[in-house]
Amino acid sequence: MDYDAIVIGGGHAGIEACLALSREGFETLLITQSLDAIGRMSCNPSIGGLAKGNLVREIDALGGEMAHLIDSTMIQYRILNRRRGPAVQAPRAQADKFSYSRLAKETLERQPHLHLFMDTVTDLLIDGNAVAGVVTERGWRISASVVVLTTGTFMDGRIFIGEYDAPFGRLGESAAIGLGDSLRRLGFHTGRMKTGTPARVLLSSLDLDEMEIQEGDIAEPFSFDSDRVDRPSLPCYVTYTNEETHRIIRDNISRSPLYGGKIVGRGPRYCPSIEDKVIRFPDRERHQIFVEPEGTGSEEMYLNGLSSSLPEDVQRAFIHSIPGLRHAEVMRPAYAVEYDYLDPLDLYPTLESKILPSLFIAGQTNGTSGYEEAAAQGLMAGINAAERLKGNDGVVLSRTEAYIGVLIDDLVTKGTKEPYRMFTSRAEYRLSLRHDTADERLTPIGMRIGLASQEKAERFERKKEELEEVISILRSSRIAGKSAYDRLREPGQDIRELGIDALSRYPESVLSRAELDIRYSGYLLRQEREAEKTRREENMAIPADFDYDSIDGISSESREKLKAVRPMSLGQAGRISGVRVSDIAVLAVAIRSRRG
């Protein structure tokens, strides 16, 4: 055996997968088409956002790397939804994309047990009924006990700019050709998806005084391993499209490959191209555009909200119709990219393939959109590949304990026909899944599997003790006849304004966490009761060889859906689209009867 594990692809999913495996001591090979493209941010150079920021902090709590990378390379930080409740607040940071990619590559290069190799994987080696390694474009046959597939947008990728199209996964970077055909021959179900990216423009050619300036907040670390972030903060800018912009797009819509039939893949519903927004929302007078820096040492600015696949002359025309961009020099055109993805219904909740054992699949290959969703899957695929090498059962996070659990459960239970993006609304227990509680929920798991460092474990234990001490101080301190604890449950109270000297020695993160836990204690208790019911359903396991044809009294549709997904628990069965509640009740009786 050449290696314990092989990871295919050096994007955000591949980074987390190969680090998880090598940090657990397994000899791991990362094969990627370009070593210079590791961790590249081909679309918006930012990390975090609504629900996505929660994912990043969960990755960190488990022992992943993404939070460390963004803490070291951010150039603007903001807390989104600061005026709303804590369940929907989230951190977001603009990254210096060049520094981010360079630091990601350096991190992999320095990692013991991890080896990097530049080539393209075109086929898989099979031993019996399980994956046994890979075949590369240059003819290498490399064996491994487990393989993690994270091809992103490169598997049979094709970019589109108006009438121009070419086999690229990103502009100027060749697609991975051959692997998709190999997977189809093995029985994998594939489809086509589409994503896109806006043009980049030269900062010095912009009229910044015509746009609204958007400064950042005081930077806070994503990683629980840090207390502060010492990074420069660059401003972003806001402008808007107008009727002239929309007219140019409408007049040239026939030249769009999206509307001309050249692109057949489904695009992201929640991040549509500008031509899609103009056609789908004809009554909208304007659309917001964020003009964001790509790095401290670069003049390139990212036009967030102007994703397009229209021809370059049309792009220049509509960009120049927008205030602040009338003299913009376009450095890179916007483009769409269409690529193969694999149906996530063919995966177990561990992200191991049902079709080919020992193969784990993560990232945009599973039909998701976004760096954070990819990294979260990559981490869990790496963790579970390592658990398989150890001979252990896999690690499956539930919907009650992590956004990562919601993400993976949605994919493997419901599947997706369009690029999946994480939202707070997808999480039933979002108040319990706040970004500031990720360490409490997940660091013990990272410690148990050996991925959380000793320093992280000690820091976590110290924070737990400090939180307990703060709660104790608040319960014992009296203010106008009431305990400080009860005072904090009243609207408008701030823990920093209680005047309790003993609290001054505790860090801001601990005080803020205590305040939110107390303020929302009633809601949290109610949500915990609901979560406990969900956990009971999750704990009712369904055997892998369960015979659904032997159950009387369930509908044909439910039977076929259950046989297709083969859920691992009663809870997962109940979340399959099209399975009736009454059929779940019958299934529960059948499972108990089989156990009896």
Side-chain angles (χ1 to χ4, degrees), residues 75 96-99 203 231-232 234 293-300:
I75 54 178
D96 182 323
K97 75 173 189 180
F98 311 101
S99 298
L203 173 61
R231 290 287 303 164
L234 304 184
E294 296 233 300
T296 55
S298 173
E299 282 263 309
E300 286 190 78

Side-chain angles (χ1 to χ4, degrees), residues 422-437:
M422 178 52 66
F423 291 103
T424 53
S425 58
R426 296 190 191 273
E428 302 91 330
Y429 308 105
R430 51 188 171 272
L431 188 56
S432 303
L433 305 183
R434 303 193 318 257
H435 69 84
D436 62 312
T437 66

Side-chain angles (χ1 to χ4, degrees), residues 106-126:
E106 291 172 357
T107 301
L108 301 191
E109 290 172 337
R110 293 193 299 263
Q111 177 60 41
H113 306 293
L114 179 58
H115 313 269
L116 310 184
F117 186 61
M118 186 166 160
D119 205 342
T120 300
V121 172
T122 57
D123 204 351
L124 299 177
L125 296 175
I126 310 297

